[in-house]
Amino acid sequence: DGPDRIADLAPDQRIVFAYTMAIGDRPISASLATVELAPEGGGTRIAFTEQGAFFEGSDGPDIRKGGWTAHLEALGAELLRSR
């Protein structure tokens, strides 16, 4: 699944997107996520904020946080490798 809608895109500053998740045909969540980018030292600081509504039978906020944390850590590791 990708973003359902890009709500705001400010190059080198921020991306705001909305997305939903489903298991089969059953929706489990709807979210609004913001990725903020800011220069820091010789790199870029990323701040990620998600506002989510989790429906019955959903993965819940703790599991979602773990998923995003793993994705962002993998991105950071890949960016360090490509320096």
Side-chain angles (χ1 to χ4, degrees), residues 1-7 16-22 29-31:
D1 291 276
D4 296 336
R5 180 171 182 267
I6 302 292
V16 180
F17 60 97
Y19 71 98
T20 58
M21 292 183 74
S29 68
S31 295

Side-chain angles (χ1 to χ4, degrees), residues 25-73:
D25 292 338
R26 185 173 50 88
I28 61 168
S29 68
S31 295
L32 178 67
T34 303
V35 179
E36 296 173 284
L37 308 168
E40 186 173 278
T44 302
R45 183 183 199 297
I46 297 175
F48 179 85
T49 304
E50 179 174 9
Q51 298 167 297
F54 298 93
F55 313 138
E56 186 176 334
S58 73
D59 57 349
D62 291 334
I63 293 173
R64 186 70 54 87
K65 180 180 178 181
W68 274 113
T69 298
H71 288 308
L72 292 170
E73 287 174 352

